[in-house]
Amino acid sequence: MAAEFTYYFRSLLAALGRQPGWYGVFAEREPDAAAAYGSGRRLPPWDVVRTVLRDVAANGGAGDADPAEVGRAYALHRAAAAAEDSAPGASHALRGRLDAAIRARDGAAARARAAARAYEEAGAETAGPAGARLANGLAWARDDLSRAAARCEELRGRLAGAVGAARLGREAAGAGTGGGTGAAGSDDAGAAERSEAPTVRRPTGARFAGSGAAVPSGSPVAPAPATAARVRSAAPRGARFAGAPTADAVGEAVLPAPSAPAAGPAPSGARFAGAPKAPATPSAAPARDPRWTAEAQAGAARLGALRRAGESGAAYLVLCAAAEGPADRIPYVVRELERTGLGADVATLLWEIAALPPEPLAEAVAALAADGRGPDCRTLLHQAAARSPEDVAVVADLLHHAGRTDESGELLETFARSRPAATAAAVTRTRPSLATPLLAAAARVSAPCQRDISAALRL
């Protein structure tokens, strides 16, 4: 299947002809990667394939590729990925690639922030050639970030699929032999369980477009319900990038609305020891602070004006300032952005908050939880789980001591699920008191995960 996809992708590149669009600039910026994709040595990420499809269609005078052609390309791409992921050791390799992709995404986020600040500081000079270069740099920085985040998402989905296939294979082998898989099989099981990445809402925007939906951006999949929000990010423009993708080509994500939990009593008894408790239904909405309401309205009004004026760099800095402000004001900002039709910027705001030092990050999680914004809390916690064990330990400990034990447990559970046992156990070097909560969180992931982390704690 990999050979079939390689032939198909080469035909797409040939169809670009003398108008290579985005891919032509990409090949100049990353010639080694472009050569590996064209030769079949490496499977290109789906966002690359999707952009090439758009550019081929644009060269023919169409706005986008025919959905049937996109579906065919996606099927070939998924088949090639599945063949690659079925090889021995694929889960380990995918986890390494995901770690590298997360580092690339964080580096792209830093470059996007620096480019936005440089564009903002240029002020009136942005009208000249120097301003055009800054705008061009900002557009490419945001394009790089959007694609890096989409690749993290794609790798998470592939990793989850590889782990699931490995688990089914072990279960079938155990059923066929009438017994366990032995010590080696047990170790592989533990590694696979820890490798399974959580599925979370995909945040997008100027700095971060997500983490963790299993379907890559732009894939030909049935859309989410009408309550979902569609998020777009900017793409390079100007004569140099004629034929390059528009904002639609850079990255799209559908953020599904969280389903309400079914009513009913929480499980109890020894069988359910350690199971997460159902969140309590708030008796009344928290009282609103008029000061925070006024500041949130002013910030949203300024952000909206900047968006309408096309000042994306300045708009990005408004979101950065909101993230770095008082934690108690953050829920007000989120509500106001949603109320004024700027819901797409909430994801960017959340990512900026997730990049804060541990103390203000924990305060923001607590503030959102107190306001009843569970999905936003989970987004922040899942993003925070990608940080160092030291940072995770501080955030989890602060949440625990603030009475936010559910949020602290969610963070530790995500960390235990997505990191090797030795890395997960490292949180106790910074906060030894987290040993018991960490083991409880690992038990909610799986028995092998708890066993391996327990062994790592004893080293």
Side-chain angles (χ1 to χ4, degrees):
M1 299 305 294
E4 186 176 355
F5 174 80
T6 298
Y7 178 83
Y8 176 80
F9 188 65
R10 284 176 178 170
S11 71
L12 289 179
L13 297 182
L16 289 174
R18 296 180 178 273
Q19 294 179 287
W22 176 89
Y23 195 83
V25 181
F26 165 74
E28 292 178 1
R29 298 175 76 212
E30 300 186 42
D32 292 342
Y37 297 159
S39 66
R41 296 195 309 273
R42 286 169 54 189
L43 182 68
W46 171 248
D47 69 275
V48 172
V49 182
R50 187 66 179 91
T51 300
V52 172
L53 283 166
R54 283 194 178 99
D55 285 354
V56 170
N59 290 350
D64 197 358
D66 182 83
E69 186 63 25
V70 175
R72 177 190 176 206
Y74 184 68
L76 290 172
H77 186 269
R78 291 303 300 151
E84 187 176 282
D85 298 345
S86 64
S91 296
H92 179 75
L94 285 169
R95 186 164 58 185
R97 289 176 61 185
L98 178 58
D99 288 343
I102 290 172
R103 291 192 296 272
R105 182 201 66 199
D106 292 345
R111 292 192 298 275
R113 171 174 281 192
R117 293 194 184 279
Y119 184 81
E120 174 72 7
E121 290 168 0
E125 298 178 4
T126 56
R133 286 193 296 271
L134 289 173
N136 180 56
L138 174 59
W140 271 108
R142 297 181 68 187
D143 180 70
D144 289 343
L145 173 58
S146 180
R147 291 178 185 278
R151 290 164 195 178
C152 289
E153 175 186 342
E154 181 177 340
L155 287 169
R156 282 192 176 98
R158 291 178 60 180
L159 179 58
V163 168
R167 185 184 298 115
L168 289 174
R170 289 192 304 273
E171 291 174 354
T177 58
T181 58
S186 177
D187 290 342
D188 289 344
E193 292 286 355
R194 290 191 304 274
S195 298
E196 185 176 359
T199 299
V200 299
R201 295 195 316 165
R202 177 187 171 197
T204 62
R207 182 170 179 194
F208 183 68
S211 62
V215 180
S217 73
S219 56
V221 195
T227 54
R230 187 165 296 280
V231 180
R232 305 179 189 273
S233 52
R237 297 179 179 178
R240 179 182 175 191
F241 301 104
T246 61
D248 292 344
V250 174
E252 272 186 28
V254 174
L255 309 184
S259 57
S268 59
R271 179 182 178 186
F272 298 100
K277 298 178 176 58
T281 302
S283 56
R288 303 293 185 224
D289 187 323
R291 177 184 53 164
W292 297 143
T293 298
E295 291 186 9
Q297 288 174 347
R302 184 185 176 201
L303 180 64
L306 291 169
R307 289 291 186 211
R308 290 189 293 272
E311 295 289 341
S312 58
Y316 177 54
L317 294 181
V318 170
L319 292 169
C320 292
E324 294 166 359
D328 289 342
R329 188 179 64 190
I330 289 171
Y332 294 79
V333 175
V334 173
R335 279 195 301 274
E336 193 62 23
L337 292 177
E338 293 175 342
R339 187 187 70 83
T340 56
L342 296 169
D345 285 309
V346 172
T348 304
L349 175 66
L350 294 178
W351 170 243
E352 291 299 330
I353 295 169
L356 294 173
E359 292 79 4
L361 170 57
E363 292 172 359
V365 171
L368 288 167
D371 199 66
R373 304 195 68 89
D376 294 329
C377 285
R378 286 191 291 275
T379 295
L380 284 180
L381 293 168
H382 289 188
Q383 292 171 6
R387 296 173 65 153
S388 68
E390 294 77 16
D391 284 356
V392 169
V394 173
V395 174
D397 190 56
L398 288 171
L399 289 171
H400 183 79
H401 283 91
R404 293 293 170 185
T405 54
D406 287 349
E407 288 74 21
S408 179
E410 175 86 14
L411 175 59
L412 292 174
E413 181 178 338
T414 304
F415 195 68
R417 185 189 304 274
S418 58
R419 298 297 188 92
T423 304
V427 301
T428 61
R429 289 200 293 267
T430 301
R431 293 291 191 272
S433 61
L434 290 176
T436 299
L438 176 63
L439 286 173
R444 293 194 293 272
V445 176
S446 70
C449 179
Q450 183 188 38
R451 180 199 63 217
D452 291 347
I453 291 179
S454 179
L457 289 172
R458 292 194 295 269
L459 295 179

